mmCIF file of all heavy atoms in Angstrom:
data_model
loop_
_atom_site.group_PDB
_atom_site.id
_atom_site.type_symbol
_atom_site.label_atom_id
_atom_site.label_comp_id
_atom_site.label_asym_id
_atom_site.label_seq_id
_atom_site.Cartn_x
_atom_site.Cartn_y
_atom_site.Cartn_z
ATOM 1 N N ALA A 213 92.457 89.712 82.679
ATOM 2 C CA ALA A 213 91.769 90.177 83.855
ATOM 3 C C ALA A 213 92.598 90.079 85.094
ATOM 4 O O ALA A 213 93.483 89.100 85.312
ATOM 5 C CB ALA A 213 90.554 89.222 84.037
ATOM 6 N N THR A 214 92.544 91.040 85.967
ATOM 7 C CA THR A 214 93.361 91.211 87.186
ATOM 8 C C THR A 214 92.430 91.256 88.405
ATOM 9 O O THR A 214 92.961 91.490 89.570
ATOM 10 C CB THR A 214 94.316 92.332 87.119
ATOM 11 O OG1 THR A 214 93.632 93.511 86.959
ATOM 12 C CG2 THR A 214 95.302 92.106 85.899
ATOM 13 N N SER A 215 91.156 91.250 88.264
ATOM 14 C CA SER A 215 90.284 91.436 89.305
ATOM 15 C C SER A 215 90.426 90.393 90.462
ATOM 16 O O SER A 215 90.605 89.138 90.087
ATOM 17 C CB SER A 215 88.808 91.537 88.911
ATOM 18 O OG SER A 215 87.947 91.455 90.087
ATOM 19 N N THR A 216 90.364 90.665 91.684
ATOM 20 C CA THR A 216 90.464 89.687 92.748
ATOM 21 C C THR A 216 89.022 89.240 93.248
ATOM 22 O O THR A 216 88.909 88.450 94.096
ATOM 23 C CB THR A 216 91.117 90.141 94.018
ATOM 24 O OG1 THR A 216 90.490 91.461 94.378
ATOM 25 C CG2 THR A 216 92.573 90.628 93.635
ATOM 26 N N VAL A 217 87.945 89.819 92.558
ATOM 27 C CA VAL A 217 86.661 89.470 92.976
ATOM 28 C C VAL A 217 86.117 88.337 91.961
ATOM 29 O O VAL A 217 86.170 88.601 90.744
ATOM 30 C CB VAL A 217 85.697 90.739 92.767
ATOM 31 C CG1 VAL A 217 84.172 90.309 93.122
ATOM 32 C CG2 VAL A 217 86.183 91.880 93.631
ATOM 33 N N THR A 218 86.028 87.238 92.598
ATOM 34 C CA THR A 218 85.765 86.035 91.817
ATOM 35 C C THR A 218 84.385 85.343 91.792
ATOM 36 O O THR A 218 84.033 84.311 91.127
ATOM 37 C CB THR A 218 86.759 84.952 92.109
ATOM 38 O OG1 THR A 218 86.570 84.634 93.599
ATOM 39 C CG2 THR A 218 88.174 85.358 92.036
ATOM 40 N N ARG A 219 83.495 86.027 92.634
ATOM 41 C CA ARG A 219 82.243 85.487 92.730
ATOM 42 C C ARG A 219 81.198 86.587 93.000
ATOM 43 O O ARG A 219 81.599 87.667 93.382
ATOM 44 C CB ARG A 219 82.045 84.472 93.782
ATOM 45 C CG ARG A 219 82.349 84.916 95.205
ATOM 46 C CD ARG A 219 82.450 83.811 96.211
ATOM 47 N NE ARG A 219 82.557 84.226 97.528
ATOM 48 C CZ ARG A 219 81.498 84.539 98.334
ATOM 49 N NH1 ARG A 219 80.347 84.549 97.954
ATOM 50 N NH2 ARG A 219 81.874 84.903 99.692
ATOM 51 N N ALA A 220 79.842 86.262 92.847
ATOM 52 C CA ALA A 220 78.808 87.239 93.079
ATOM 53 C C ALA A 220 78.332 87.063 94.544
ATOM 54 O O ALA A 220 78.607 86.028 95.216
ATOM 55 C CB ALA A 220 77.654 87.018 92.122
ATOM 56 N N TYR A 221 77.889 88.091 95.218
ATOM 57 C CA TYR A 221 77.331 88.222 96.444
ATOM 58 C C TYR A 221 75.944 88.512 96.626
ATOM 59 O O TYR A 221 75.564 89.471 95.960
ATOM 60 C CB TYR A 221 78.281 89.229 97.386
ATOM 61 C CG TYR A 221 79.670 88.844 97.393
ATOM 62 C CD1 TYR A 221 80.577 89.225 96.373
ATOM 63 C CD2 TYR A 221 80.298 88.240 98.509
ATOM 64 C CE1 TYR A 221 81.920 88.845 96.481
ATOM 65 C CE2 TYR A 221 81.640 88.019 98.558
ATOM 66 C CZ TYR A 221 82.394 88.447 97.655
ATOM 67 O OH TYR A 221 83.810 87.982 97.590
ATOM 68 N N ALA A 222 75.184 87.824 97.316
ATOM 69 C CA ALA A 222 73.763 88.120 97.619
ATOM 70 C C ALA A 222 73.774 89.371 98.470
ATOM 71 O O ALA A 222 74.537 89.737 99.286
ATOM 72 C CB ALA A 222 73.087 86.985 98.313
ATOM 73 N N LYS A 223 72.706 90.245 98.147
ATOM 74 C CA LYS A 223 72.512 91.508 98.766
ATOM 75 C C LYS A 223 72.196 91.333 100.355
ATOM 76 O O LYS A 223 71.314 90.601 100.520
ATOM 77 C CB LYS A 223 71.420 92.264 98.142
ATOM 78 C CG LYS A 223 71.353 93.705 98.632
ATOM 79 C CD LYS A 223 70.410 94.526 97.738
ATOM 80 C CE LYS A 223 70.315 95.931 98.255
ATOM 81 N NZ LYS A 223 69.453 96.798 97.331
ATOM 82 N N GLY A 224 72.997 91.912 101.167
ATOM 83 C CA GLY A 224 72.633 91.876 102.606
ATOM 84 C C GLY A 224 71.922 93.156 102.999
ATOM 85 O O GLY A 224 71.808 94.145 102.239
ATOM 86 N N ASP A 225 71.599 93.150 104.327
ATOM 87 C CA ASP A 225 70.921 94.199 104.856
ATOM 88 C C ASP A 225 71.721 95.518 104.953
ATOM 89 O O ASP A 225 71.149 96.630 105.028
ATOM 90 C CB ASP A 225 70.286 93.902 106.342
ATOM 91 C CG ASP A 225 69.236 92.828 106.209
ATOM 92 O OD1 ASP A 225 68.673 92.600 105.161
ATOM 93 O OD2 ASP A 225 68.990 92.172 107.282
ATOM 94 N N GLN A 226 72.890 95.500 105.046
ATOM 95 C CA GLN A 226 73.760 96.680 105.154
ATOM 96 C C GLN A 226 74.108 97.320 103.880
ATOM 97 O O GLN A 226 74.788 98.394 103.762
ATOM 98 C CB GLN A 226 75.034 96.386 105.927
ATOM 99 C CG GLN A 226 74.830 96.075 107.410
ATOM 100 C CD GLN A 226 75.979 95.677 108.130
ATOM 101 O OE1 GLN A 226 77.077 95.130 107.550
ATOM 102 N NE2 GLN A 226 76.156 95.966 109.393
ATOM 103 N N ALA A 227 73.711 96.660 102.765
ATOM 104 C CA ALA A 227 74.182 97.131 101.376
ATOM 105 C C ALA A 227 74.064 98.622 101.134
ATOM 106 O O ALA A 227 74.884 99.325 100.768
ATOM 107 C CB ALA A 227 73.591 96.290 100.274
ATOM 108 N N GLU A 228 72.854 99.125 101.393
ATOM 109 C CA GLU A 228 72.447 100.482 101.017
ATOM 110 C C GLU A 228 73.387 101.449 101.814
ATOM 111 O O GLU A 228 73.752 102.423 101.311
ATOM 112 C CB GLU A 228 70.969 100.619 101.260
ATOM 113 C CG GLU A 228 70.046 99.923 100.449
ATOM 114 C CD GLU A 228 70.291 100.237 98.980
ATOM 115 O OE1 GLU A 228 70.866 101.457 98.545
ATOM 116 O OE2 GLU A 228 69.985 99.465 98.129
ATOM 117 N N GLN A 229 73.492 101.118 103.174
ATOM 118 C CA GLN A 229 74.300 102.054 103.991
ATOM 119 C C GLN A 229 75.823 102.009 103.609
ATOM 120 O O GLN A 229 76.461 103.036 103.671
ATOM 121 C CB GLN A 229 74.137 101.750 105.547
ATOM 122 C CG GLN A 229 74.585 102.916 106.269
ATOM 123 C CD GLN A 229 74.171 102.724 107.831
ATOM 124 O OE1 GLN A 229 73.697 101.676 108.279
ATOM 125 N NE2 GLN A 229 74.355 103.688 108.539
ATOM 126 N N ILE A 230 76.273 100.812 103.279
ATOM 127 C CA ILE A 230 77.628 100.637 102.869
ATOM 128 C C ILE A 230 77.938 101.583 101.561
ATOM 129 O O ILE A 230 78.824 102.335 101.430
ATOM 130 C CB ILE A 230 78.048 99.215 102.595
ATOM 131 C CG1 ILE A 230 78.020 98.353 103.846
ATOM 132 C CG2 ILE A 230 79.428 99.168 101.912
ATOM 133 C CD1 ILE A 230 78.236 96.918 103.610
ATOM 134 N N ARG A 231 76.991 101.435 100.638
ATOM 135 C CA ARG A 231 77.171 102.220 99.477
ATOM 136 C C ARG A 231 77.043 103.733 99.709
ATOM 137 O O ARG A 231 77.779 104.576 99.192
ATOM 138 C CB ARG A 231 76.073 101.845 98.433
ATOM 139 C CG ARG A 231 76.083 102.559 97.056
ATOM 140 C CD ARG A 231 75.189 101.932 96.107
ATOM 141 N NE ARG A 231 75.327 102.696 94.785
ATOM 142 C CZ ARG A 231 74.533 103.545 94.367
ATOM 143 N NH1 ARG A 231 73.476 103.905 95.071
ATOM 144 N NH2 ARG A 231 74.693 104.153 93.187
ATOM 145 N N ALA A 232 76.120 104.023 100.678
ATOM 146 C CA ALA A 232 76.025 105.507 100.913
ATOM 147 C C ALA A 232 77.266 106.062 101.606
ATOM 148 O O ALA A 232 77.742 107.209 101.276
ATOM 149 C CB ALA A 232 74.825 105.667 101.937
ATOM 150 N N CYS A 233 77.921 105.270 102.488
ATOM 151 C CA CYS A 233 79.182 105.716 103.020
ATOM 152 C C CYS A 233 80.302 105.840 102.000
ATOM 153 O O CYS A 233 81.062 106.782 101.985
ATOM 154 C CB CYS A 233 79.603 104.625 104.083
ATOM 155 S SG CYS A 233 78.606 104.836 105.615
ATOM 156 N N ALA A 234 80.292 104.871 100.995
ATOM 157 C CA ALA A 234 81.328 104.872 100.059
ATOM 158 C C ALA A 234 81.123 106.148 99.080
ATOM 159 O O ALA A 234 82.126 106.865 98.754
ATOM 160 C CB ALA A 234 81.263 103.617 99.156
ATOM 161 N N LEU A 235 79.885 106.465 98.797
ATOM 162 C CA LEU A 235 79.616 107.696 98.016
ATOM 163 C C LEU A 235 79.934 108.940 98.730
ATOM 164 O O LEU A 235 80.448 109.988 98.148
ATOM 165 C CB LEU A 235 78.223 107.701 97.452
ATOM 166 C CG LEU A 235 77.850 106.510 96.435
ATOM 167 C CD1 LEU A 235 76.444 106.594 96.082
ATOM 168 C CD2 LEU A 235 78.730 106.515 95.283
ATOM 169 N N ALA A 236 79.690 108.904 100.015
ATOM 170 C CA ALA A 236 80.045 110.032 100.863
ATOM 171 C C ALA A 236 81.564 110.332 100.899
ATOM 172 O O ALA A 236 82.062 111.472 100.737
ATOM 173 C CB ALA A 236 79.506 109.948 102.242
ATOM 174 N N VAL A 237 82.286 109.226 100.904
ATOM 175 C CA VAL A 237 83.692 109.371 100.875
ATOM 176 C C VAL A 237 84.230 109.946 99.581
ATOM 177 O O VAL A 237 85.034 110.860 99.521
ATOM 178 C CB VAL A 237 84.506 107.920 101.027
ATOM 179 C CG1 VAL A 237 85.939 107.979 100.598
ATOM 180 C CG2 VAL A 237 84.221 107.482 102.401
ATOM 181 N N ALA A 238 83.642 109.468 98.423
ATOM 182 C CA ALA A 238 83.812 109.938 97.192
ATOM 183 C C ALA A 238 83.609 111.461 96.962
ATOM 184 O O ALA A 238 84.515 112.181 96.438
ATOM 185 C CB ALA A 238 83.057 109.165 96.061
ATOM 186 N N ARG A 239 82.454 111.900 97.457
ATOM 187 C CA ARG A 239 82.239 113.286 97.396
ATOM 188 C C ARG A 239 83.158 114.128 98.218
ATOM 189 O O ARG A 239 83.609 115.241 97.772
ATOM 190 C CB ARG A 239 80.853 113.460 98.011
ATOM 191 C CG ARG A 239 79.640 113.094 97.088
ATOM 192 C CD ARG A 239 78.254 113.671 97.599
ATOM 193 N NE ARG A 239 77.979 113.188 98.980
ATOM 194 C CZ ARG A 239 77.347 112.036 99.202
ATOM 195 N NH1 ARG A 239 76.972 111.291 98.298
ATOM 196 N NH2 ARG A 239 77.134 111.751 100.475
ATOM 197 N N GLU A 240 83.546 113.705 99.362
ATOM 198 C CA GLU A 240 84.504 114.477 100.150
ATOM 199 C C GLU A 240 85.871 114.563 99.496
ATOM 200 O O GLU A 240 86.577 115.565 99.474
ATOM 201 C CB GLU A 240 84.614 113.760 101.575
ATOM 202 C CG GLU A 240 85.625 114.327 102.556
ATOM 203 C CD GLU A 240 85.218 115.879 102.760
ATOM 204 O OE1 GLU A 240 84.007 116.220 102.840
ATOM 205 O OE2 GLU A 240 86.080 116.696 103.083
ATOM 206 N N LEU A 241 86.355 113.398 98.853
ATOM 207 C CA LEU A 241 87.729 113.455 98.294
ATOM 208 C C LEU A 241 87.633 114.321 97.010
ATOM 209 O O LEU A 241 88.605 115.038 96.822
ATOM 210 C CB LEU A 241 88.163 112.093 97.930
ATOM 211 C CG LEU A 241 88.434 111.051 99.110
ATOM 212 C CD1 LEU A 241 88.719 109.729 98.576
ATOM 213 C CD2 LEU A 241 89.574 111.654 99.921
ATOM 214 N N ILE A 242 86.545 114.435 96.297
ATOM 215 C CA ILE A 242 86.468 115.327 95.159
ATOM 216 C C ILE A 242 86.500 116.680 95.572
ATOM 217 O O ILE A 242 87.245 117.578 94.985
ATOM 218 C CB ILE A 242 85.280 114.964 94.377
ATOM 219 C CG1 ILE A 242 85.438 113.640 93.700
ATOM 220 C CG2 ILE A 242 84.953 116.011 93.283
ATOM 221 C CD1 ILE A 242 84.092 113.062 92.944
ATOM 222 N N ALA A 243 85.666 117.077 96.744
ATOM 223 C CA ALA A 243 85.754 118.420 97.153
ATOM 224 C C ALA A 243 87.147 118.813 97.776
ATOM 225 O O ALA A 243 87.391 119.935 97.707
ATOM 226 C CB ALA A 243 84.704 118.566 98.309
ATOM 227 N N ALA A 244 87.943 117.850 98.275
ATOM 228 C CA ALA A 244 89.194 118.266 98.817
ATOM 229 C C ALA A 244 90.346 118.208 97.884
ATOM 230 O O ALA A 244 91.554 118.387 98.256
ATOM 231 C CB ALA A 244 89.416 117.281 99.832
ATOM 232 N N GLU A 245 90.162 118.064 96.512
ATOM 233 C CA GLU A 245 91.165 117.790 95.624
ATOM 234 C C GLU A 245 92.200 119.060 95.698
ATOM 235 O O GLU A 245 93.286 118.893 95.805
ATOM 236 C CB GLU A 245 90.602 117.818 94.107
ATOM 237 C CG GLU A 245 91.716 117.754 93.113
ATOM 238 C CD GLU A 245 91.297 117.790 91.681
ATOM 239 O OE1 GLU A 245 89.988 117.949 91.485
ATOM 240 O OE2 GLU A 245 92.016 117.590 90.790
ATOM 241 N N THR A 246 91.737 120.222 95.662
ATOM 242 C CA THR A 246 92.751 121.380 95.745
ATOM 243 C C THR A 246 93.526 121.489 96.917
ATOM 244 O O THR A 246 94.724 121.762 96.970
ATOM 245 C CB THR A 246 91.961 122.705 95.463
ATOM 246 O OG1 THR A 246 91.241 122.712 94.220
ATOM 247 C CG2 THR A 246 92.812 123.901 95.534
ATOM 248 N N HIS A 247 92.836 121.308 98.122
ATOM 249 C CA HIS A 247 93.627 121.242 99.313
ATOM 250 C C HIS A 247 94.578 120.125 99.414
ATOM 251 O O HIS A 247 95.740 120.383 99.885
ATOM 252 C CB HIS A 247 92.492 121.092 100.508
ATOM 253 C CG HIS A 247 93.027 120.898 101.893
ATOM 254 N ND1 HIS A 247 93.860 121.915 102.372
ATOM 255 C CD2 HIS A 247 92.909 120.102 102.935
ATOM 256 C CE1 HIS A 247 94.325 121.638 103.529
ATOM 257 N NE2 HIS A 247 93.669 120.491 103.964
ATOM 258 N N LEU A 248 94.287 118.891 99.042
ATOM 259 C CA LEU A 248 95.229 117.787 99.032
ATOM 260 C C LEU A 248 96.256 117.980 98.117
ATOM 261 O O LEU A 248 97.490 117.627 98.337
ATOM 262 C CB LEU A 248 94.443 116.489 98.742
ATOM 263 C CG LEU A 248 93.439 115.980 99.867
ATOM 264 C CD1 LEU A 248 92.741 114.769 99.379
ATOM 265 C CD2 LEU A 248 94.134 115.871 101.212
ATOM 266 N N ALA A 249 96.031 118.539 96.870
ATOM 267 C CA ALA A 249 97.105 118.906 95.956
ATOM 268 C C ALA A 249 98.058 119.885 96.457
ATOM 269 O O ALA A 249 99.245 119.780 96.264
ATOM 270 C CB ALA A 249 96.463 119.347 94.612
ATOM 271 N N ASP A 250 97.617 120.876 97.193
ATOM 272 C CA ASP A 250 98.388 121.985 97.707
ATOM 273 C C ASP A 250 99.285 121.392 98.768
ATOM 274 O O ASP A 250 100.444 121.716 98.780
ATOM 275 C CB ASP A 250 97.547 123.098 98.260
ATOM 276 C CG ASP A 250 98.233 124.146 98.925
ATOM 277 O OD1 ASP A 250 99.175 124.816 98.140
ATOM 278 O OD2 ASP A 250 98.271 124.404 100.061
ATOM 279 N N LEU A 251 98.742 120.529 99.649
ATOM 280 C CA LEU A 251 99.623 119.968 100.742
ATOM 281 C C LEU A 251 100.759 119.069 100.160
ATOM 282 O O LEU A 251 101.879 119.141 100.581
ATOM 283 C CB LEU A 251 98.708 119.138 101.672
ATOM 284 C CG LEU A 251 97.873 119.784 102.585
ATOM 285 C CD1 LEU A 251 96.910 118.894 103.325
ATOM 286 C CD2 LEU A 251 98.555 120.750 103.589
ATOM 287 N N ASP A 252 100.286 118.357 99.236
ATOM 288 C CA ASP A 252 101.257 117.332 98.621
ATOM 289 C C ASP A 252 102.318 118.117 97.666
ATOM 290 O O ASP A 252 103.505 117.634 97.570
ATOM 291 C CB ASP A 252 100.580 116.342 97.599
ATOM 292 C CG ASP A 252 101.372 115.185 97.221
ATOM 293 O OD1 ASP A 252 102.069 114.678 98.141
ATOM 294 O OD2 ASP A 252 101.360 114.779 96.071
ATOM 295 N N SER A 253 101.970 119.145 97.139
ATOM 296 C CA SER A 253 102.954 119.893 96.272
ATOM 297 C C SER A 253 104.016 120.583 97.157
ATOM 298 O O SER A 253 105.074 120.835 96.697
ATOM 299 C CB SER A 253 102.182 121.015 95.491
ATOM 300 O OG SER A 253 101.662 122.055 96.290
ATOM 301 N N GLN A 254 103.697 120.883 98.447
ATOM 302 C CA GLN A 254 104.734 121.530 99.366
ATOM 303 C C GLN A 254 105.725 120.454 99.869
ATOM 304 O O GLN A 254 106.739 120.832 100.359
ATOM 305 C CB GLN A 254 103.932 122.191 100.488
ATOM 306 C CG GLN A 254 103.096 123.255 100.063
ATOM 307 C CD GLN A 254 102.352 124.014 101.221
ATOM 308 O OE1 GLN A 254 103.044 124.500 102.229
ATOM 309 N NE2 GLN A 254 101.010 123.978 101.234
ATOM 310 N N ALA A 255 105.437 119.164 99.768
ATOM 311 C CA ALA A 255 106.391 118.272 100.330
ATOM 312 C C ALA A 255 106.337 116.917 99.531
ATOM 313 O O ALA A 255 107.091 116.088 99.931
ATOM 314 C CB ALA A 255 105.903 117.785 101.721
ATOM 315 N N GLY A 256 105.842 117.003 98.231
ATOM 316 C CA GLY A 256 105.947 115.826 97.367
ATOM 317 C C GLY A 256 105.758 116.318 95.929
ATOM 318 O O GLY A 256 106.248 117.386 95.554
#
């Protein structure tokens, strides 16, 4: 095991909004795959 998360956390009031923001980030990165690959292929 290599996880740095060593304990459970009680659910706080911001949990739902934090998760919504994280999933919004995931959707945006998936949608931008081709654009980011093209940029990176030109210089990496």
